[in-house]
């Protein structure tokens, strides 16, 4: 790992070693050439075989339908993310918050324990390796407190805890389950892994785009309570307060996702169509479109 990598305290420095081993397992090798002050080039080679078009043994990859939102008539689920890596924490927030979940995020197990006591989340995404208090200890303490009627939250819902870890060792999975975790997801995870866990443990129901449908068409065809067509949302934007629109413009120009989503929630009560549309745009990082809606609101107020 380079000096800049070590100083950032991110990652373990194993990525390149793992990549080279993967290439070698496929009969090739990974090579590097580097010039100080200029740059570094990584390249690899491996033997491959061209498969004729129409070969019967070629299987098409399964089509994954994108999640558009939560199906109506469900509880408002509270999800806590305990993850010390900033990038991973933000990724989960950006995945889950625009869909309609209430989300809080913390950077260590001690904070997770405090939020659990105060907020009573339905589910915790618990990273195993964290500073101050790791995920094992945090889970153990939460489960111990759940046995105590004097210290557990008043309406303790027996929070589901899903362990998150980059390790591939079975003993880590076994220890997580032994400490009280309900399930286990390895990193790097796919979006589908997260959605499947929510469906499995909370019975969450999602709205998906139709297979083979263009995403823009799917968004327009989704139920009105989840996503609105552009024209309807523009009409709704015209009714938004100018001061709120100015705050939205400023947050969007800074690419401040947290503030954008906060403003979306502020408007949801009186302007649900606009809130649903902006949440979808934020989820896809479509800042230019968000600015267009903010401009519409400011001009019509």
């Amino acid at each position: 790992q380079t000096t800049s990598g070590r100083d950032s305290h991110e990652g373990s420095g194993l990525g390149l070693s793992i990549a080279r081993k993967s290439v070698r397992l496929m009969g090739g090798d990974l090579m590097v050439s580097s010039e100080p002050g200029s740059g570094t080039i990584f390249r690899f080679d491996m033997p491959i075989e061209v498969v004729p078009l129409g070969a019967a043994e070629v299987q098409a990859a399964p089509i994954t339908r994108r999640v558009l939102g939560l199906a109506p008539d469900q509880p408002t689920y509270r999800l806590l993310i305990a993850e010390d890596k900033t990038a991973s924490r933000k990724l989960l927030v950006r995945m889950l918050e625009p869909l309609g979940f209430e989300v809080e995020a913390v950077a260590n197990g001690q904070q997770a324990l405090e939020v659990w006591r105060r907020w009573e989340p339905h589910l915790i995404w618990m990273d195993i390796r964290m500073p101050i208090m790791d995920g094992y200890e945090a889970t153990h303490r939460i489960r111990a407190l759940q046995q105590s009627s004097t210290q557990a939250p008043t309406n303790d819902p027996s929070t589901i805890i899903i362990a998150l870890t980059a390790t591939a060792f079975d003993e880590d999975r076994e220890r997580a389950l032994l400490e009280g975790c309900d399930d286990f997801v390895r990193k790097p995870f796919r979006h589908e892994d997260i959605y499947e866990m929510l469906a499995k443990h909370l019975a969450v129901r999602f709205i998906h785009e139709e297979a083979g449908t263009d995403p823009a068409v799917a968004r327009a065809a989704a139920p009105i309570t989840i996503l609105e067509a552009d024209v309807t949302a523009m009409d709704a934007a015209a009714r938004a307060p100018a001061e709120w629109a100015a705050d939205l413009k400023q947050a969007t120009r800074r690419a401040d996702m947290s503030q954008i989503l906060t403003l979306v929630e502020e408007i949801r009560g009186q302007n649900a169509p606009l809130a649903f549309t902006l949440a979808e745009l934020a989820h896809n990082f479509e800042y230019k479109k968000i600015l267009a809606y903010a401009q519409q609101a400011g001009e019509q107020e």
Side-chain angles (χ1 to χ4, degrees):
Q1 192 169 29
T2 63
T3 300
S4 61
R6 290 192 296 270
D7 291 344
S8 70
H9 304 292
E10 294 283 339
S12 58
L14 292 173
L16 185 58
S17 176
I18 294 171
R20 188 181 194 189
K21 185 172 183 179
S22 296
V23 173
R24 285 180 166 179
L25 286 171
M26 292 183 279
D29 203 357
L30 181 68
M31 295 149 283
V32 59
S33 58
S34 184
E35 183 178 340
S38 178
T40 301
I41 297 174
F42 294 93
R43 65 186 187 276
F44 68 89
D45 60 65
M46 65 175 66
I48 61 172
E49 180 181 351
V50 178
V51 178
L53 289 176
E57 61 270 21
V58 176
Q59 300 293 324
I63 297 175
T64 301
R65 297 188 300 158
R66 190 167 64 94
V67 169
L68 298 176
L70 296 177
D73 302 321
Q74 297 185 83
T76 300
Y77 293 104
R78 297 180 300 278
L79 309 180
L80 172 61
I81 299 163
E83 165 65 73
D84 66 317
K85 297 294 187 291
T86 302
S88 297
R89 191 166 63 246
K90 287 184 175 179
L91 172 62
L92 280 168
V93 171
R94 290 170 179 172
M95 277 179 56
L96 299 169
E97 207 165 42
L99 297 178
F101 294 105
E102 290 185 5
V103 179
E104 286 204 25
V106 297
N108 60 66
Q110 180 62 50
Q111 294 173 344
L113 184 60
E114 293 168 1
V115 173
W116 172 78
R117 282 172 163 156
R118 165 180 59 81
W119 196 48
E120 303 180 35
H122 294 92
L123 183 144
I124 302 175
W125 301 105
M126 185 74 78
D127 185 34
I128 294 303
R129 311 290 182 188
M130 292 186 289
I132 302 177
M133 182 188 294
D134 64 22
Y136 294 127
E137 179 65 19
T139 300
H140 177 78
R141 293 197 183 191
I142 288 172
R143 294 310 188 205
L145 288 173
Q146 284 180 321
Q147 303 300 318
S148 170
S149 59
T150 59
Q151 297 190 63
T154 305
N155 299 312
D156 175 30
S158 298
T159 303
I160 299 295
I161 302 178
I162 309 295
L164 298 174
T165 179
T167 183
F169 297 115
D170 288 337
E171 52 263 35
D172 289 303
R173 179 180 185 278
E174 292 170 2
R175 181 182 174 188
L177 297 176
L178 185 64
E179 295 290 355
C181 291
D182 296 278
D183 221 319
F184 186 92
V185 172
R186 287 193 175 95
K187 297 186 290 185
F189 50 77
R190 303 170 304 149
H191 284 49
E192 292 75 20
D193 298 331
I194 301 301
Y195 300 143
E196 286 172 6
M197 285 293 168
L198 290 169
K200 175 181 177 181
H201 292 283
L202 295 180
V204 174
R205 293 175 288 109
F206 296 102
I207 290 177
H208 298 81
E209 66 182 5
E210 292 298 323
T213 302
D214 181 86
V217 175
R219 284 195 292 272
I224 200 75
T225 54
I226 300 299
L227 299 169
E228 294 289 331
D230 287 346
V231 174
T232 304
M234 273 297 185
D235 290 341
R239 300 190 297 273
E243 184 178 352
W244 176 88
D247 291 342
L248 181 62
K249 288 179 190 177
Q250 187 177 22
T252 305
R253 287 170 179 152
R254 294 198 311 265
D256 187 341
M257 179 65 71
S258 177
Q259 182 61 18
I260 291 171
L261 293 172
T262 297
L263 290 166
V264 168
E265 290 308 310
E266 285 182 8
I267 204 73
R268 190 180 296 277
Q270 64 264 34
N271 202 330
L274 180 60
F276 283 125
T277 298
L278 290 177
E280 172 70 3
L281 294 175
H283 181 59
N284 292 308
F285 308 103
E286 297 189 61
Y287 295 116
K288 288 184 179 180
K289 289 186 179 180
I290 295 174
L291 276 175
Y293 284 110
Q295 186 66 38
Q296 177 80 358
E299 291 177 352
Q300 296 294 323
E301 175 68 5

